[in-house]
């Protein structure tokens, strides 16, 4: 394998000067992708892109084509760049790059994502007013470049990782949208309506009940000193804003729905399985023998409980107020079916998110170790 060789940007990268007039009609159906349409540090295009005609553009824009690399020159610390797969126009606040003299496009796109290029672009763009990297500063940048064959392999591999990350993120968002839709249909906001969606095989009417009537436990947890909570430990500790850390003891064992009683996320919901410690800033909820705790958790999550907090400097939920709130409840068997349905959706969301995280870590590792 050939040794990587030092190259200067000006010798291997063309910075396009092809600026076009978007008012001619020739580009009306092309997308206009500006830095504001690009997700930072990923190269993914957001869903807010409009066509040139829809944007009613009047000032000059740069033309890009498939395989071009587009880079946002304003505020380089935001990491705005993408690898083009279609024809389009981009803002005058962006550059269109093309490799030459042996520099491959996919490798060039990978180069923009390295910590070395990022640090360089930020360091030279520091100036009064709006931070920006200009052509002379780019042309002065130098880097190590492998053979064309190795560039292709590196660039293609990293783009494939990007593709997989995007697929899992899209699947994650689609599953979240499905969950939101189903929750809205099964749990009407005012708590007085019949659900618009029900599982087949269940015909019994839902009954109006107070929350306190369906729970065997509905109360605040116990106090725990801050020095007893650490980043590691035997049992998780849940407070008003969710997981706080870990400790050496527990005060509950089983399945519980937890309502954040105090704090910035007052009214937020968490679910705990097994042994855990719940502090006084969390309201602990466990269904009675005729109801299902998991169902309660998803129901409570739709009720926007934060709206019932005291209007003070430190928002807080009063248990004696929460237990009087009412909602519709089916028979236990149907509750269990609903609870497990949403639990499976949450499991799918978690799986896709974990896969995204793993792929992003792999990509970061590869970038750090390929460009040293």
């Amino acid at each position: 394998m050939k040794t990587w060789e030092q190259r200067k940007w000006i010798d291997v990268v063309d910075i396009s000067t092809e600026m076009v007039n978007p008012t001619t009609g020739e580009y009306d159906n092309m997308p206009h992708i500006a830095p504001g349409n690009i997700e930072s540090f990923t190269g993914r295009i957001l869903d807010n892109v409009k066509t040139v005609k829809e944007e009613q553009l009047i000032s000059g824009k740069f033309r890009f084509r498939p395989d071009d690399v587009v880079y946002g020159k304003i505020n380089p610390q935001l990491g705005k760049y993408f690898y083009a797969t279609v024809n389009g126009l981009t803002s005058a606040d962006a550059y269109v790059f093309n490799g030459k003299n042996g520099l491959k496009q996919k490798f060039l796109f990978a180069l923009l994502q390295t910590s070395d290029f990022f640090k360089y672009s930020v360091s030279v763009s520091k100036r009064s007013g709006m931070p920006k990297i200009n052509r002379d500063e780019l042309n002065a940048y130098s880097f190590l470049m492998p053979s064309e064959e190795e560039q292709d392999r590196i660039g293609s591999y990293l783009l494939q990782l990007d593709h997989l990350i995007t697929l899992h993120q899209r699947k994650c968002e689609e599953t979240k949208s499905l969950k939101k839709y189903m929750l809205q249909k099964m749990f009407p906001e005012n708590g007085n309506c019949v659900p618009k969606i029900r599982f087949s095989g269940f015909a019994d009417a839902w009954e109006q009940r107070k929350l306190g009537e369906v729970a065997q436990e509905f109360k605040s947890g116990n106090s725990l000193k801050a020095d007893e909570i650490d980043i590691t430990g035997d049992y998780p500790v849940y407070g008003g804003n969710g997981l706080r850390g870990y400790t050496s003891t527990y005060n509950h064992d089983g399945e519980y729905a937890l309502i954040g009683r105090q704090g910035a996320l007052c009214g937020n919901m968490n679910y705990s399985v097994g042994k855990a410690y719940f502090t006084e800033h969390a309201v602990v909820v466990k269904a009675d023998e005729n109801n299902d705790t998991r169902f309660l958790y998803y129901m409570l999550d739709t009720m926007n409980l934060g709206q019932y907090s005291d209007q003070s400097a430190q928002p807080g939920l009063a248990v004696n107020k929460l237990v009087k709130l009412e909602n519709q409840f089916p028979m236990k068997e149907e509750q269990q079916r609903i609870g497990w349905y949403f639990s499976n959706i949450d499991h799918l969301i978690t799986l896709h998110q974990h896969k995204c995280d793993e792929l992003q870590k792999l990509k970061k590792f590869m970038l750090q170790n390929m460009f040293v």
Side-chain angles (χ1 to χ4, degrees), residues 247-347:
T247 191
S248 59
T249 186
Y250 65 92
N251 59 2
H252 286 79
D253 185 4
E255 295 194 31
Y256 296 88
L258 306 173
I259 306 170
R261 189 174 70 86
Q262 287 185 326
L265 301 179
C266 181
N268 77 95
M269 295 299 304
N270 285 280
Y271 198 80
S272 175
V273 179
K275 297 175 180 178
Y277 198 102
F278 308 141
T279 75
E280 75 276 19
H281 298 305
V283 178
V284 183
V285 182
K286 187 174 182 63
D288 62 21
E289 60 182 9
N290 296 317
N291 293 277
D292 183 70
T293 302
R294 198 177 296 269
F295 171 85
L296 268 176
Y297 164 71
Y298 289 108
M299 170 180 279
L300 293 169
D301 200 27
T302 67
M303 292 178 66
N304 186 23
L305 296 177
Q307 66 181 305
Y308 303 107
S309 65
D310 297 327
Q311 300 303 312
S312 60
Q314 177 66 16
L317 290 170
V319 173
N320 60 1
K321 182 186 293 186
L322 293 177
V323 295
K324 295 176 183 178
L325 299 177
E326 297 185 354
N327 214 319
Q328 295 279 340
F329 289 83
M331 299 297 288
K332 184 175 182 178
E333 186 179 357
E334 189 171 359
Q335 290 184 33
Q336 290 173 327
R337 179 80 175 272
I338 293 171
W340 279 111
Y341 173 79
F342 286 110
S343 179
N344 286 333
I345 290 181
D346 280 341
H347 180 63

Side-chain angles (χ1 to χ4, degrees), residues 4 27 35 60 86 88 101 106 181 186 208 223 225 270 273 286 288-289 336 342:
W4 291 32
Y27 312 103
V86 296
N101 297 329
K106 293 176 182 178
Y181 172 81
M186 285 190 175
Q208 190 86 359
S223 62
K225 295 179 180 179
N270 285 280
V273 179
K286 187 174 182 63
D288 62 21
E289 60 182 9
Q336 290 173 327
F342 286 110

